[in-house]
Amino acid sequence: MAAIALGIPAVRRGGGVPSIEGRPDVPGLVDRFGRVAHDLRISITSACSLRCTYCMPAEGLPVIPRDELLSADEIGRLVGIAVRDLGVREVRFTGGEPLTRGDLVEIIRRSAEAAPGTPLALTTNGIGLDKRAEALRDAGLTRVNVSLDTLDREHFARLTRRDRLPAVLAGIAGAHRAGLGPLKVNAVLMQQTLHDAPELLAWAIEHGCRLRFIEQMPLDADEAWRRENMVDADELLGVLGARFALTPVGREDPAAPAEEWLVDGGPATVGIIASVTRPFCGACDRTRLTAEGSVRSCLFGDDETDLRGLLRGGAGDDEIADVWRAAMWAKKAGHGIDDVDFVRPLRTMGGIGG
Ligand code: SAM
Ligand code: SF4
């Protein structure tokens, strides 16, 4: 397998800080296409307790040395700059698997102190969440998304290369007990689990979870994704429609990635994030930080702008904010998966943070 398929960190092409030619003098994270980023995703690790085939290679991603990862202090400082100076309204921690970081509670605490009142969310596979949900809530965590693709233990083990379904279900129950509900559950659409979707939806409704299905994107380390083989939103709607009456209700807000359907007349809903067949890049409001502290303006854009060097070199908040603004100004228009000249990004999903 090529080194790049392992998610080896990309280096900003050309190096340095992107040009801000033409950028209006506004405080927020605007780009050349008029979008404004309010939603910050921070990857905090590339390590994971699962090996989902649509994400990780069987052997996992290369370990990022501890001193190359942003520390809890550094993450807190960047969250403060993002919220205070750059207009960020919500912060989500992801990875890899964020629960593999022993200092996750400290990361949440520092972030909550730096940005009081800002929603702090976690995207997790749920393994170990039952033991840490209360401490995370007490530190300031407000929302949790758990990834779960199927309730069939054998299918789960094959898809994730680990027989850990009971641990995920325990994590979801623990998050509910800690009052971190209503939980969102994310399921990636794959041929192997497509026919498990109706059971997953019935289970989610019964357990007070909001289920969203996600079209698989070409971000798997194995490079097995093929446009012609992927399960799309229409195919899922056909499968769910055989058991439930679905009524389209659109998006919660224009920047929300999921389109919603009422299930059997409501109030329960199901969401579909059709990133490939109905891309929403035109309304994208995300800015990302990699685990090593670089701004990544788009999942599919390899250009990264280092902030860790500035943090560790003694730069002030204003300088860091300016570099972050410049990085977002250079954001590309869209992922272009359907373009003939589409090129996969160098990093895979687990190395960027979904
Ligand atoms: N480990 C955590 C988890 O699984 O929730 C956080 C990181 S994971 C990369 C974040 C989200 O990306 C998960 O919901 C996962 O299902 C999704 N994901 C991973 N690979 C994907 C792909 N190739 N296409 C679409 N979504 C993907
Ligand atoms: Fe790990 Fe999440 Fe990727 Fe699955 S999707 S391998 S749980 S990082």
Side-chain angles (χ1 to χ4, degrees):
M1 184 186 302
I4 53 170
L6 294 174
I8 304 279
V11 176
R12 159 160 264 288
R13 289 189 209 114
V17 176
S19 155
I20 55 161
E21 204 183 311
R23 187 186 182 281
D25 187 18
V26 292
L29 294 172
V30 296
D31 68 35
R32 291 167 297 152
F33 303 96
R35 297 167 296 189
V36 186
H38 297 294
D39 178 353
L40 169 58
R41 310 253 149 156
I42 308 182
S43 173
I44 57 171
T45 180
S46 62
C48 190
S49 42
L50 297 179
R51 296 286 185 272
C52 306
T53 54
Y54 47 72
C55 178
M56 290 261 174
E59 65 279 20
L61 292 173
V63 176
I64 303 173
R66 188 62 202 244
D67 64 340
E68 291 182 17
L69 291 171
L70 290 182
S71 67
D73 262 358
E74 290 169 334
I75 292 170
R77 182 160 168 220
L78 290 177
V79 166
I81 294 171
V83 170
R84 201 179 47 244
D85 301 331
L86 299 173
V88 162
R89 297 182 191 145
E90 175 171 356
V91 181
R92 176 171 295 279
F93 299 92
T94 178
E97 175 45 50
L99 286 165
T100 62
R101 258 189 88 155
D103 60 349
L104 179 60
V105 170
E106 194 53 22
I107 290 172
I108 301 293
R109 194 188 327 279
R110 296 292 168 121
S111 302
E113 283 165 4
T118 301
L120 299 180
L122 183 70
T123 298
T124 173
N125 64 27
I127 295 174
L129 184 58
D130 44 330
K131 296 178 192 70
R132 297 169 83 189
E134 287 184 13
L136 289 166
R137 177 205 61 203
D138 292 347
L141 186 71
T142 48
R143 299 177 188 165
V144 178
N145 288 8
V146 179
S147 303
L148 173 61
D149 303 317
T150 175
L151 294 168
D152 181 309
R153 189 162 173 174
E154 218 178 291
H155 291 178
F156 181 97
R158 218 173 301 143
L159 199 62
T160 65
R161 302 183 176 109
R162 299 286 187 272
D163 182 19
R164 305 296 305 275
L165 177 63
V168 176
L169 297 177
I172 292 174
H176 274 301
R177 273 198 308 278
L180 284 167
L183 255 62
K184 285 185 183 165
V185 169
N186 294 339
V188 175
L189 283 168
M190 299 291 284
Q191 293 292 353
Q192 304 97 298
T193 48
L194 174 61
H195 292 281
D196 302 339
E199 193 195 345
L200 187 61
L201 178 54
W203 175 90
I205 294 170
E206 193 189 324
H207 288 79
C209 298
R210 295 183 58 193
L211 179 62
R212 291 120 40 99
F213 291 94
I214 307 172
E215 285 180 347
Q216 189 204 357
M217 294 181 280
L219 291 170
D220 55 317
D222 294 342
E223 301 196 1
W225 182 95
R226 297 287 175 274
R227 179 72 168 83
E228 59 278 16
N229 296 340
M230 59 161 279
V231 179
D232 65 20
D234 290 341
E235 200 175 345
L236 172 71
L237 286 169
V239 170
L240 292 180
R243 174 151 163 198
F244 304 98
L246 301 175
T247 319
V249 287
R251 297 181 196 278
E252 270 181 337
D253 79 70
E259 291 174 70
E260 303 282 341
W261 277 259
L262 283 181
V263 181
D264 290 339
T269 57
V270 61
I272 305 182
I273 303 179
S275 331
V276 178
T277 61
R278 301 172 202 179
F280 37 86
C281 301
C284 178
D285 70 344
R286 291 190 186 159
T287 181
R288 297 172 184 277
L289 284 176
T290 66
E292 304 96 330
S294 291
V295 179
R296 193 170 168 111
S297 57
C298 171
L299 263 181
F300 288 85
D302 280 325
D303 279 353
E304 295 183 358
T305 304
D306 177 48
L307 297 186
R308 190 187 64 198
L310 293 173
L311 281 170
R312 296 185 183 174
D317 288 2
D318 287 351
E319 188 183 344
I320 292 172
D322 277 344
V323 172
W324 200 330
R325 288 186 189 101
M328 292 305 293
W329 180 243
K331 177 166 171 152
K332 56 195 250 169
H335 58 50
I337 292 173
D338 274 340
D339 298 350
V340 281
D341 56 353
F342 171 73
V343 182
R344 281 168 164 267
L346 297 174
R347 287 194 194 243
T348 60
M349 189 61 128
I352 305 168

